[in-house]
Amino acid sequence: MRTIGLIGGMSWESTAVYYRQINEMVRSRLGGLTSAKIAMQSLDFSEVVALQKGGRWNDAAALLSDAAKRLERAGADNVLICTNTMHLVAGEVAASIDVPLIDIRHETGSVLKASGMKRPLLLATRYTMEHGFYADYMREKFGIDLVVPNELDRAKVHSVIFDELCCGLVRPESRQALEKIIHRGKDAGADCVILGCTEICLSLPDDDVALPIFDSTTIHSRAAVAHALGDFMHEQNAG
């Protein structure tokens, strides 16, 4: 079994989901008392958020690249950035290490394409919804055109993520708000939903909504386990 390297803490609420999912998947595959081999660098999210707010993406790239290199030195055979937003600097992180960076966009796009989905509604942070790094990647790599919520709905999703889910708060009224946003996305022509923030699965843990859900956290965890157990079937280019 290969060792999985996690750059976590962004937020630790979703990193805990990764840890649980990866170990559950490994146990399901191998049985008994088997658990995953995991190395982790858990960052201080407040420092990362300050870099995001300041638009200091070069500094963020340096911070995550240092974490990735530490994981590689610790014996990790792959690296995952346990957040969608920080894939804005995925190319720089991938270039800093010699082991594969398993890109959450690539894995999510691969699953969407295999499922025949073409116009997913993206629920994510403002950075992920409004910067081109996510939408451009999906279009160029998979021919997938994203549907992005309107400005008010983007603000609501961003607030639910940072003010609630990243703080451990899961509120029924926020789930209801997200469900309404999904309905509006369906009316705008979306054929499915990408939970494009690794915390949103805490608020929408099931498929009981207006459109099929593709949870990027679960997809990313599954790809990590596939690589760790030797059945990772395709190459990625995070650049």
Side-chain angles (χ1 to χ4, degrees):
M1 186 192 307
R2 297 187 179 107
T3 298
I4 297 168
L6 303 179
I7 305 178
M10 302 174 287
S11 68
W12 69 259
E13 298 284 348
S14 63
T15 306
V17 176
Y18 272 91
Y19 189 81
R20 175 179 54 79
Q21 286 187 345
I22 288 169
N23 278 292
E24 287 177 347
M25 291 173 187
V26 167
R27 182 171 60 190
S28 176
R29 288 279 298 275
L30 301 182
L33 298 177
T34 308
S35 56
K37 293 181 179 180
I38 295 174
M40 185 185 299
Q41 283 284 302
S42 188
L43 304 182
D44 179 351
F45 193 35
S46 67
E47 295 178 2
V48 176
V49 170
L51 296 177
Q52 292 173 345
K53 289 182 176 179
R56 296 166 56 194
W57 297 105
N58 288 337
D59 291 336
L63 179 66
L64 267 66
S65 294
D66 179 68
K69 287 184 279 190
R70 288 174 183 271
L71 288 172
E72 186 174 19
R73 290 197 297 269
D77 297 297
N78 59 53
V79 170
L80 285 73
I81 302 172
C82 298
T83 163
N84 285 268
T85 297
M86 297 312 295
H87 278 72
L88 194 152
V89 299
E92 294 92 325
V93 177
S96 72
I97 53 178
D98 293 321
V99 297
L101 177 76
I102 300 179
D103 191 302
I104 198 169
R105 299 167 299 175
H106 189 95
E107 298 308 319
T108 302
S110 296
V111 172
L112 287 167
K113 185 174 181 179
S115 300
M117 300 300 177
K118 299 182 182 299
R119 283 183 54 79
L121 174 69
L122 177 64
L123 299 183
T125 67
R126 273 192 179 276
Y127 310 108
T128 304
M129 291 187 287
E130 296 179 359
H131 284 63
F133 77 96
Y134 204 97
D136 292 348
Y137 190 99
M138 289 292 178
R139 185 181 306 109
E140 293 167 5
K141 297 287 185 181
F142 302 104
I144 292 172
D145 289 318
L146 299 180
V147 177
V148 177
N150 63 42
E151 184 175 358
L152 287 176
D153 285 346
R154 293 198 302 273
K156 179 61 178 178
V157 176
H158 189 86
S159 174
V160 169
I161 292 166
F162 277 97
D163 299 335
E164 298 176 24
L165 300 178
C166 289
C167 299
L169 302 174
V170 181
R171 293 173 171 158
E173 58 269 28
S174 294
R175 176 189 167 98
Q176 293 167 6
L178 294 175
E179 289 174 343
K180 290 178 181 178
I181 293 170
I182 291 171
H183 275 283
R184 287 192 282 275
K186 183 178 181 180
D187 291 342
D191 57 11
C192 64
V193 181
I194 299 174
L195 301 188
C197 169
T198 53
E199 284 85 17
I200 296 184
C201 60
L202 298 170
S203 185
L204 292 169
D206 54 51
D207 292 332
D208 188 22
V209 294
L211 291 170
I213 283 180
F214 291 82
D215 175 24
S216 62
T217 309
T218 301
I219 292 169
H220 208 196
S221 294
R222 190 177 297 122
V225 171
H227 187 271
L229 299 185
D231 53 5
F232 195 69
M233 299 303 294
H234 59 275
E235 296 296 327
Q236 294 188 98
N237 178 7

